[in-house]
């Protein structure tokens, strides 16, 4: 049994869960996954999760082999705290780059993603199963600003540190933190084409090709739960047209 237990929720919807999960998967860090589906009719905070998460949301990491003298597991309930803890626990795993300039840049970009980009979160809600066409009226001022900043960060990191990942030659924390944006850009058609440069588009393809990303998306599409708040969020607002739902295609292929 692993010492690390990662509590997450629906892979179709949870960008926050994806970050530590993908980092641990891609770097082959040992952990056991505990998936807790969102309750129907609920919001983002899930009171029934209080037994394992002090703030009733995920991701939440439990470390079951704490230092001598502590009988209870160590609990971390924010994605950024989880990643920093893993960096301490696995210093040779290149969660952050060895190079000081690259490490400083990566930490700054991780913190910016953790705290910012509110318009992307609001206007392009995480839903890996759908494809939504965005017309001109969907791109309000806040969303345009966020998308342009995403392109700036990606292009800067790739140019400064040589790629193929944002802070250099190896996948790390900064890539895990921006992976949900890659999936959102795949769900909302037109945003990437309008606002990403060629290097940034190539980076999107690279992240989409990772084994962990493919596994996450495939599992999300197969989930049977449909959480109303997330489904509404994905389509509300001007300039949106649902053109594809991979869940329906999955169900049709299963019946064939």
């Amino acid at each position: 049994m692993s010492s690390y237990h990662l509590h997450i929720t629906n892979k179709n919807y949870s960008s926050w869960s994806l970050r530590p999960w993908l980092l641990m998967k891609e770097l082959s860090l040992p952990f056991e996954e505990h998936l807790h589906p969102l309750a129907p009719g609920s919001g983002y905070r899930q009171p029934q999760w209080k037994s394992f998460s002090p703030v009733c949301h995920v991701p939440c990491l439990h470390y079951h082999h704490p230092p001598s003298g502590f009988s209870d597991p160590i609990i971390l309930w924010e994605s950024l705290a989880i990643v920093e803890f893993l960096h301490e626990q696995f210093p040779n795993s290149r969660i952050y780059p060895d190079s000081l300039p690259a490490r400083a840049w990566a930490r700054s970009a991780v913190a910016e993603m953790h705290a910012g980009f509110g318009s992307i979160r609001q206007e392009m809600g995480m839903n890996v199963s759908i494809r939504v066409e965005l017309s001109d009226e969907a791109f309000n001022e806040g969303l345009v600003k966020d998308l342009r900043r995403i392109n700036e960060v990606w292009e800067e990191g790739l140019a400064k540190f040589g790629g193929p990942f944002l802070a250099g030659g190896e996948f790390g924390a900064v890539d895990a933190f921006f992976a949900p944006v890659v999936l959102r850009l795949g769900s909302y058609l037109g945003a990437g084409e309008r606002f990403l440069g060629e290097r940034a588009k190539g980076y999107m393809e690279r992240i989409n090709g990772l084994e962990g990303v493919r596994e996450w998306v495939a599992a999300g599409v197969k989930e049977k739960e449909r959480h109303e708040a997330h489904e509404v969020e994905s389509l509300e607002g001007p300039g949106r047209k649902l053109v594809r739902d991979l869940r329906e295609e999955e169900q049709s292929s299963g019946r064939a």
Side-chain angles (χ1 to χ4, degrees):
M1 185 179 76
S2 174
S3 300
Y4 299 88
H5 293 254
L6 183 64
H7 296 264
I8 63 173
T9 191
N10 303 63
K11 292 177 178 177
N12 190 48
Y13 303 120
S14 184
S15 59
W16 296 101
S17 295
L18 171 59
R19 293 182 176 112
W21 185 95
L22 182 60
L23 184 69
M24 298 179 85
K25 275 281 184 178
E26 287 298 317
L27 299 186
S28 299
L29 304 183
F31 74 101
E32 289 188 21
E33 172 189 317
H34 302 267
L35 195 150
H36 309 270
L38 293 161
S42 63
Y44 292 99
R45 194 172 185 274
Q46 303 280 301
Q48 73 276 15
W49 293 350
K50 185 69 174 178
S51 61
F52 62 85
S53 172
V55 289
C56 301
H57 62 63
V58 293
C60 187
L61 181 71
H62 288 212
Y63 175 49
H64 285 269
H65 284 186
S68 177
F70 293 90
S71 58
D72 295 331
I74 291 173
I75 299 176
L76 300 103
W77 59 88
E78 285 286 348
S79 56
L80 183 55
I82 292 170
V83 167
E84 292 293 337
F85 180 74
L86 293 173
H87 178 60
E88 294 176 354
Q89 294 293 103
F90 300 95
N92 297 321
S93 292
R94 306 288 178 84
I95 289 173
Y96 286 108
D98 290 335
S99 160
L100 180 60
R103 190 164 66 251
W105 184 91
R107 274 204 161 104
S108 296
V110 163
E112 182 180 1
M113 182 69 252
H114 184 74
F117 299 101
S119 290
I120 286 180
R121 302 182 204 277
Q122 182 175 344
E123 303 294 336
M124 300 170 62
M126 180 84 160
N127 190 326
V128 303
S129 298
I130 62 172
R131 299 295 179 263
V132 178
E133 282 186 356
L134 299 181
S135 62
D136 291 347
E137 57 186 334
F139 295 98
N140 59 45
E141 182 179 354
L143 182 57
V144 168
K145 180 180 178 181
D146 277 3
L147 289 168
R148 285 177 174 162
R149 179 57 186 156
I150 288 290
N151 183 61
E152 287 177 0
V153 172
W154 291 2
E155 292 277 344
E156 179 186 9
L158 294 166
K160 182 176 288 189
F161 305 112
F165 296 103
L166 290 181
E170 299 183 55
F171 180 92
V174 66
D175 304 291
F177 264 72
F178 280 96
V181 176
V182 171
L183 295 186
R184 291 173 197 260
L185 289 169
S187 293
Y188 296 87
L189 310 178
E193 292 82 351
R194 291 175 184 237
F195 294 99
L196 295 186
E198 291 307 311
R199 265 189 299 233
K201 289 177 182 176
Y203 174 72
M204 264 191 69
E205 293 179 7
R206 203 166 300 120
I207 295 300
N208 279 322
L210 294 175
E211 182 178 348
V213 170
R214 295 198 305 268
E215 179 182 337
W216 179 277
V217 171
V221 171
K222 290 179 180 178
E223 288 175 347
K224 296 181 179 180
E225 302 89 1
R226 295 207 183 191
H227 191 254
E228 183 178 0
H230 284 83
E231 294 294 325
V232 170
E233 177 187 67
S234 300
L235 296 174
E236 67 180 356
R240 299 158 191 273
K241 179 183 178 183
L242 179 66
V243 295
R244 192 177 179 191
D245 191 325
L246 301 180
R247 295 166 296 189
E248 295 179 359
E249 296 175 16
E250 175 75 17
Q251 292 172 3
S252 297
S253 65
R255 291 192 295 266

